Amino acid sequence: MTYAAGVDPRTANPLPAVTEETSEQQVDNIAERAATACAGLEAMGRHGRGELLDTMADAVERHRDELVETAALETGFTTGKLEGELTRAGYQLRFFADVIRDGGYLEATIDRARTTPMGPRPDLRRLLLPIGPVAVFGASNFPFAFSVLGGDTASALAAGCPVVVKAHASHPATSKLSFDVLAEAIAGTPAPVAALGIVYGREAGARLVAHPAIRAVGFTGSLGGGNALLDIINRRPDPIPFYGELSSINPVIVTPTAAAERGEAIAADLVTSFTLGAGQLCTKPGLVLVPDNAGGDALVRAVDKAVAEVASAPLLNERIFDSYRSGTRELREHPRVSALGAPDENPAAGFTVEPMAFETGIDDLHEGLVTEIFGPVTVLVRYPAAHPDVATRSALAVLPYSLTATIIHAAGEDELLARLTDITRPAAGRIVYNGFPTGVAVSWAQTHGGPWPSTNSLHTSVGATAIRRFLRPVTYQNAPESILPEELRDGYEAIVRRLDGVVTLPG
């Protein structure tokens, strides 16, 4: 029998076994029970599911200390980082409760029967409805916010879709505890207990994705892992939506004037950003375009100094650790790339690594030189200060598309800023100005997604419209009112609707 067990990344020592890996029969049973929970979860209605999400958030808060303590042991993250992430997880649950109470996400649309220039039109009423059971894959780098307690779980349940989580191998104890907390909360509500399930083990995850009861997959992880799941989905007799957040370099452009005015301050913020969470964030800035003026020189010197002052930190697991060491070694050995400072190449305890920064020139930037390296590292690319827009276009031509692009600019650069925005917009889902992208606010206007390979979807995985991933449109034609969802019935005024092409407000 194989057991799910984590590893302490600070020592590389195995942790006690958490539970047995899920067998094929158990996976099938969990997926089938999730399918039976669909009707009951949808029947709770928007307000019932909102109460369920609030109840879950309350339960998370009650178990805060235990959750943080468990996650710290399995991930090596600081208590402060985990406290903030757990607060975010609870907030996401309450946020999606508010999203569904609002009702606008349903896109309720009514076209009443009438004569049109094309001829008679039937009565048509359209609504977004839950897609069915969803498989959610926990992320290694977010044991709370993108795992069992995370946004995929919250948005899918809000939509009315049962969820089966595949626990991440880097934090199985945290995943199990998180599941137990939510399961206990569900048991105290009218929701079907099978609305949430969990499986452990690589093979269990693969079987879950292939199971006919699963109608969509949410995944945050590596490009290789995402492609492996896509292969499974493409072999199904009925391929299903796959929402993957996969790989991102997140370029930063520093304009010449910004570097001249505040190069050292920009450097300090940059180092804080790419070393946050030991650099294990999908929004970490992995490449920074820096002008070759005096301000750019000061910025590079400040990065060199600041990186040396950042403490070493453990990475989450051996795979990430090995990838970091091999990726940074390739950069260090490249003849046209210079390492800033003098990083210690001797292995530290466990999976601990030192932060690093490298410098190269725009003429030496070619496809494949800079790839996503999970961990506290970035590459500074120097460009001729007279041509920031040309340099940006050149860099983006050889870089894969990203979740974010950042422009650090100065006042009065409106024309340059407009050109840089036009150049970067096709390459990213979020454009950041005079800030850094490592914070992703949970809000109505947020987009956390981008062109391939950052994601394979036009949808966001963070923010209110993340719920759209788990909904499908259904139109009722000439339907008796008795069978219509209440949001499509005549006289219903509790949500925003479009009636005969005109938006009508609640009340």
Side-chain angles (χ1 to χ4, degrees), residues 135-151:
V136 169
F137 280 69
S140 63
N141 56 333
F142 283 97
F144 297 135
F146 281 86
S147 293
V148 179
L149 305 178

Side-chain angles (χ1 to χ4, degrees), residues 417-461:
L417 193 58
R419 293 198 301 274
L420 292 176
T421 299
D422 287 343
I423 294 168
T424 57
R425 188 173 59 192
R430 177 166 56 110
I431 306 175
V432 181
Y433 301 88
N434 280 346
F436 285 90
T438 34
V440 186
V442 178
S443 73
W444 289 83
Q446 186 60 272
T447 296
H448 187 60
W452 178 270
S454 60
T455 64
N456 72 323
S457 167
L458 297 179
H459 297 283
T460 178
S461 63

Side-chain angles (χ1 to χ4, degrees), residues 271-329:
V271 172
T272 297
S273 181
F274 80 78
T275 61
L276 181 66
Q280 298 170 109
L281 302 180
C282 51
T283 51
K284 180 199 74 175
L287 178 141
V288 187
L289 294 175
V290 178
D292 62 2
N293 60 8
D297 294 341
L299 190 157
V300 172
R301 289 194 299 271
V303 168
D304 190 3
K305 179 181 178 181
V307 167
E309 296 173 352
V310 178
S312 300
L315 300 182
L316 285 158
N317 56 51
E318 188 173 11
R319 180 186 61 79
I320 295 174
F321 174 76
D322 289 342
S323 177
Y324 180 83
R325 292 188 67 82
S326 64
T328 54
R329 185 180 301 113

